[in-house]
Amino acid sequence: MKRRLRSSDWYVGENRNAYIHRAWMRRGLPASAFTGERPHIAIANTASQLTPCNAHLGEVAASVANGVYEAGGIPLEIPVVSLGETQVRPTAMLWRNMAAMATEEMLRANPVDGAVLLGGCDKTIPSLLMAACSVDLPSVVVPGGPMLTGTFRGQALGCGTDVWRLSEEVRAGTLSEADFLNSESATIRSRGHCNTMGTASTMALVAEALGTVIPGIAGTPAPDSRLLEAAHETGRLAVGLVSEDRRPSTFLSKGSFQNAIVALAAIGGSTNAVVHLLAIAGRLGIELSIDDFDRIGAEVPLLLNLQPAGKYLMDDLQRAGGLLAALREVRDLLDPEALTVTGKPLVSYLDDAQIWDHDVISTRAEPLQAHAGISVLRGSLAPGGALIKPAAATPRLLKHRGRAVVFDSIEDFHARIDDPQLEIDADSVMVLRGCGPKGYPGMPEVANMPLPKKLLEQGVRDMVRICDGRMSGTAYGTVVLHVTPEAAAGGPLALVHDGDWIELDLGTRRLDLDVPAEELARRVPNETTLAAYANPDRGWERLYVDHVTQADQGADLDFLRGASGSKVSRESH
Ligand code: FES
């Protein structure tokens, strides 16, 4: 029996309300659009001129719309909240949950039967997926794709990663400021998101491994004509998803997240994927913890030689065979049952995948690193856990004991880091607090603190850094981040004093503050520490601070976990 379309509740009938819903939409749409035969597909578009990485998505949306029409559906493009990672302050992460909530509510409130989700820049795919999982309408993602590689003086430039590297060279005195500024116009060569294995690339590939993208599409560069073909195909699929009632809750499982975590490790992806996947799982009611990332990811080899862990960029990955070629190498670690949005298991797409350039994609037999993944540290400094990405760290620092140099805020850090009087050496452990979800608010990407100028000049290029914030997926270094609980939520990070000994040991997964428990129990955060915590008096920031969960819960709002489904109980008039 054919299922009644959700949009029919608005459009089909002879009463006054159905008349109103139809009449206002009949601006070029044929009468056949409202008979209850043709699915109405929302194209949730995060295109915005202030999200430069997504500015091209209008063209992608047009191809999706053609596919929807061709398959008999009605495409309806809706602009949704968009977040330009480099533009919005104080951090795009503060607005991820707002974007997810707004998209969820607009998909639910409107007469649509399914959705195609167009994202790219860091927070856009996570917010769209969180929304789609909570409203639980048939949905599929089209990642907007990375930009092409820019070059400067004959050298490829990786977005973000090379900005960090070059700016450190300026501070170290090995690159002139003029040369640094000259590289600015070469960094962003084309439309598309960052071309390193930063958060945007990571989330596009992870969304495919999770099963929410037609396999083989993620990673297609934004200017590549195959992206438009893929968008067209996705539009066609969206119509089919509605007739088969294939909603996120029907095909996403714990095994889907296992596949996403395996992919995250094999690609050397961003630590930001942890908070995003935890939040998406939370919307589906799937039990996922930070320990799953360590448990599942620890045995996965690093296969992609991409910045920041390696040297190549996203268009090299596409040329070398793409995500599926890498996943084929770790097929045995994937859940063979986990389905994709097409209705077929992810593993069924791996047979034809092939590596065309072994310098970009390694084989399982000769990986870049035997064990990649993201490790979880626990101990007296992080009772709820903290993350470290060993692939981006300096191996000798992964077992380290050093004295703390503490900063109460990112402003405090900037004010003092280059002070010649600052007591710090290469063995010190830099601690930055007040940067968690509540404290900042929004958990900014500041954990990869730049090193002190005086140590850079001595040739030091990495130190142990500890923070309750996040770091950019394009960053590198021995950085312990997402420390939970954060300082502003009562975590022991708030109690660290300058000169305290801190021990990091990746082998035992420990992160300890070497201060006797009795003394720690006597300590209270000092006034400067407390003054640095955010205390907004109104608006989204107030709501956020009152309800955001800690990093180990995905930093979602507590009342947004779970799904409400797509039902709306009342008419609008
Ligand atoms: Fe948009 Fe990097 S700034 S993906």
Coordinates of all heavy atoms in Angstrom, one line a residue, residues 24 78 93 96 182 232 246 251 259 263 367 393 398 495 502 511 518 538:
W24 N -0.8 29.8 -1.8 CA 0.4 30.6 -1.7 C 1.6 30.0 -2.3 O 2.6 30.7 -2.5 CB 0.6 30.9 -0.2 CG 0.0 32.3 0.2 CD1 0.7 33.4 0.4 CD2 -1.4 32.6 0.4 NE1 -0.2 34.4 0.7 CE2 -1.4 34.0 0.7 CE3 -2.6 31.9 0.3 CZ2 -2.7 34.6 0.9 CZ3 -3.8 32.5 0.5 CH2 -3.8 33.9 0.8
I78 N 15.6 25.8 0.8 CA 15.4 26.7 1.9 C 16.8 27.1 2.5 O 17.6 26.2 2.7 CB 14.5 26.0 3.0 CG1 15.1 24.7 3.5 CG2 13.1 25.8 2.5 CD1 14.4 24.1 4.7
M93 N 31.5 27.3 16.9 CA 31.0 26.2 17.7 C 29.9 26.7 18.6 O 28.9 25.9 19.0 CB 32.1 25.5 18.5 CG 31.7 24.3 19.3 SD 31.2 22.9 18.3 CE 30.9 21.7 19.5
R96 N 26.8 26.2 16.6 CA 26.4 24.9 15.9 C 25.1 24.4 16.4 O 24.2 24.0 15.6 CB 27.5 23.9 16.2 CG 27.2 22.5 15.6 CD 27.9 21.4 16.3 NE 27.5 21.2 17.6 CZ 27.9 20.2 18.4 NH1 28.8 19.3 18.0 NH2 27.4 20.1 19.7
N182 N 52.3 38.2 1.6 CA 52.2 37.9 0.1 C 51.5 36.6 -0.1 O 50.9 36.4 -1.2 CB 53.5 37.9 -0.5 CG 54.0 39.3 -0.8 OD1 53.2 40.2 -0.9 ND2 55.3 39.5 -1.0
H232 N 23.0 15.9 -8.6 CA 21.8 15.5 -9.4 C 21.4 14.1 -9.0 O 20.2 13.8 -8.7 CB 22.2 15.5 -10.9 CG 21.0 15.2 -11.8 ND1 20.4 16.2 -12.5 CD2 20.4 14.0 -12.1 CE1 19.4 15.6 -13.2 NE2 19.4 14.3 -13.0
R246 N 13.0 5.8 4.2 CA 14.3 5.5 4.8 C 14.8 6.8 5.5 O 15.4 7.7 5.0 CB 15.4 5.1 3.7 CG 16.6 4.6 4.3 CD 17.6 4.0 3.3 NE 17.0 3.0 2.5 CZ 17.0 3.0 1.2 NH1 17.6 3.9 0.5 NH2 16.3 2.0 0.5
F251 N 18.3 3.6 9.3 CA 19.5 2.9 8.8 C 20.8 3.3 9.6 O 21.8 2.7 9.3 CB 19.7 3.3 7.3 CG 20.0 4.7 7.0 CD1 21.4 5.1 6.9 CD2 19.1 5.6 6.8 CE1 21.7 6.4 6.6 CE2 19.4 7.0 6.5 CZ 20.7 7.3 6.4
N259 N 31.9 2.5 11.9 CA 32.5 2.8 10.6 C 33.1 4.2 10.5 O 34.1 4.5 9.9 CB 31.5 2.6 9.5 CG 31.2 1.1 9.3 OD1 31.8 0.2 10.0 ND2 30.2 0.8 8.5
A263 N 37.0 5.3 10.0 CA 37.3 6.2 8.9 C 38.1 7.4 9.5 O 39.1 7.8 9.0 CB 36.1 6.7 8.2
P367 N 51.5 1.2 6.3 CA 50.7 2.5 6.7 C 51.7 3.6 7.1 O 52.9 3.3 7.4 CB 49.9 2.0 7.9 CG 50.7 1.0 8.5 CD 51.4 0.2 7.4
A393 N 51.1 14.7 17.0 CA 52.0 15.0 18.1 C 53.5 14.6 17.8 O 53.8 13.9 16.9 CB 51.5 14.3 19.4
L398 N 55.0 12.3 24.1 CA 53.8 11.5 24.4 C 54.0 10.8 25.8 O 53.0 10.3 26.3 CB 53.5 10.5 23.3 CG 53.0 11.2 22.1 CD1 52.8 10.2 20.9 CD2 51.7 12.0 22.3
L495 N 42.3 24.4 39.2 CA 43.0 24.5 40.4 C 44.5 24.4 40.2 O 45.3 24.4 41.1 CB 42.6 23.3 41.3 CG 41.1 23.2 41.6 CD1 40.8 22.0 42.4 CD2 40.6 24.5 42.3
I502 N 53.0 18.2 36.0 CA 51.9 17.5 35.3 C 52.6 16.4 34.5 O 53.7 16.5 33.9 CB 51.2 18.5 34.3 CG1 50.4 19.6 35.0 CG2 50.3 17.8 33.3 CD1 49.8 20.6 34.2
L511 N 46.7 11.3 32.5 CA 47.0 12.8 32.5 C 46.8 13.2 34.0 O 45.7 13.3 34.5 CB 46.0 13.6 31.6 CG 46.3 15.1 31.6 CD1 47.7 15.4 30.9 CD2 45.2 15.9 30.9
E518 N 45.1 15.9 49.3 CA 44.7 16.8 50.4 C 44.9 18.2 50.0 O 44.0 19.1 50.3 CB 45.4 16.5 51.7 CG 45.7 15.0 52.0 CD 46.8 14.5 51.3 OE1 48.0 14.9 51.5 OE2 46.6 13.6 50.4
R538 N 21.9 37.5 28.5 CA 20.6 37.3 27.7 C 20.9 36.5 26.5 O 22.1 36.2 26.2 CB 20.0 38.6 27.4 CG 20.8 39.5 26.4 CD 20.0 40.8 26.0 NE 18.7 40.5 25.3 CZ 18.6 40.2 24.0 NH1 19.7 40.1 23.3 NH2 17.4 39.9 23.5

